[in-house]
Amino acid sequence: MFNFFHKTTAPKPLFPYTTEVHCHLLPGIDDGAPDTEHALPLLRQVHEWGIEKVIATPHVTEATFENTPQTVGDAYERLTREPEFGEIGIQLSYSAEYRMDDNFLNLLQRNEIMPMPGNHILIENSFLQPFWNIKELIFDLQLKGYAPILAHPERYAYYSADKKIYQELHDHGCEFQVNLLSLAGYYNKSSREAAEWLVAKHLVDYLGSDMHNSNHALYLGKYLTSKDFVKHIKGIQLKNDTL
C-alpha cells in the first residue's frame, strides 16, 4: 500500500533495538492505524528496520480512547488473523499507553491493567499539565508490583522548562522512554533539545518510535540514515530488548 522509500545504495536504516515498546499500530482503536490495511505495511516497515518484537501500546485515555482489555484484544485478533501478518515474521503483543487520569486510577483499582513483560507499564501525562501527584502514583504503582515507564518525557514542555523534575522522577524509580521522532526533530525544537539533554544525562532507558502512520515512517526512515541518528545513539544504553 505504501511506498516508503525508493531504491538506494545508502546504508540500510536500522533501529538501535529489536523490541519496539511504543507504537500505535493496532487497528481502529485510537489515533494510530485506522485499519489492518494501514497497520500491516507499518509492521512490515519496522521489521525491515530490524524490529523482531513489537509491543503495541494503544492509548487508554479518559473520554477519548477508553480502551479495555476487550477492545485491545479484539484489535489484536483482527490484525493477527490477516494472512499477510504471518508473512511478516514479527512477534506482536500488546499493552497500552496509559494517561494518568481518573480512568486510569479506576482501572488500577479494578486490576484491569495490561502490563508489558516484567510488569512494566507505560504511563503518560497530559500535554497541557502534569498529573498532580505523579510521585505518589509512581510509588503506588511500585507497591502494586508495577515498574512504571514515563512515555516521551521530552514532549512535556512544563518539564523541559524546569529540568530538575527529570532527575527527581528517575530517582523515584520511574524509567523514561524517549521518542525517536523527538530526536529526529519531528515535533518541535523544544522536544528535540529536551530529548538530546536526556540522552546526554544518561536518563533514557528506552527508545520508541511512537509510530502512528506512514508520515511517521517516512520521517523516521530519513532520520535513521542521518548523522544526527549516529550521534544520538552513540554510547546509549537501552533496555528495550530486556522486555
Side-chain angles (χ1 to χ4, degrees), residues 165-235:
I165 187 64
Y166 289 133
Q167 192 67 57
E168 291 174 3
L169 293 178
H170 210 259
D171 288 347
H172 272 73
C174 184
E175 296 179 311
F176 290 165
Q177 175 267 307
V178 163
N179 285 359
L180 283 169
L181 284 167
S182 295
L183 289 168
Y186 178 83
Y187 306 110
N188 52 52
K189 182 179 178 181
S190 174
S191 293
R192 179 172 183 165
E193 289 177 348
E196 291 176 333
W197 186 89
L198 288 164
V199 169
K201 295 296 183 180
H202 307 290
L203 292 174
V204 179
D205 302 287
Y206 305 88
L207 287 173
S209 70
D210 201 1
M211 187 186 295
H212 287 62
N213 51 54
S214 58
N215 286 335
H216 287 171
L218 284 167
Y219 211 93
L220 283 169
K222 295 175 183 176
Y223 170 63
L224 292 173
T225 56
S226 70
K227 293 180 180 179
D228 283 337
F229 172 68
V230 175
K231 178 183 70 175
H232 289 149
I233 66 168
K234 185 178 181 180

Side-chain angles (χ1 to χ4, degrees), residues 107-136:
L107 292 173
L108 274 175
Q109 190 173 25
R110 299 198 301 266
N111 294 315
E112 294 180 5
I113 299 298
M114 299 172 287
M116 295 180 178
N119 254 14
H120 289 80
I121 179 172
L122 190 67
I123 55 177
E124 71 163 345
N125 275 311
S126 162
F127 290 112
L128 299 178
Q129 60 186 14
F131 184 72
W132 69 278
N133 205 7
I134 186 171
K135 292 176 184 176
E136 183 174 325

Side-chain angles (χ1 to χ4, degrees), residues 2 4 15 20 22-47 49 51 54-59 75-76 78-80 85 88 90 92-94 209-214 216-217:
F2 304 116
F4 292 120
F15 275 27
E20 173 58 56
H22 187 180
C23 62
H24 298 266
L25 303 185
L26 292 185
I29 56 173
D30 64 3
D31 57 347
D35 48 40
T36 58
E37 188 178 9
H38 286 76
L40 288 165
L42 295 172
L43 281 172
R44 187 178 297 278
Q45 181 60 81
V46 297
H47 188 245
W49 284 333
I51 295 299
V54 169
I55 305 172
T57 53
H59 291 291
Y76 170 85
R78 288 198 305 275
L79 183 55
T80 55
F85 174 80
I88 295 174
I90 205 164
L92 179 66
S93 61
Y94 61 83
S209 70
D210 201 1
M211 187 186 295
H212 287 62
N213 51 54
S214 58
H216 287 171

Side-chain angles (χ1 to χ4, degrees), residues 141-170:
L141 287 171
Q142 292 166 335
L143 285 179
K144 291 178 180 293
Y146 295 113
I149 303 171
L150 183 62
H152 42 63
E154 75 282 359
R155 296 194 64 196
Y156 309 127
Y158 41 78
Y159 282 174
S160 59
D162 187 11
K163 292 184 175 61
K164 68 177 184 294
I165 187 64
Y166 289 133
Q167 192 67 57
E168 291 174 3
L169 293 178
H170 210 259

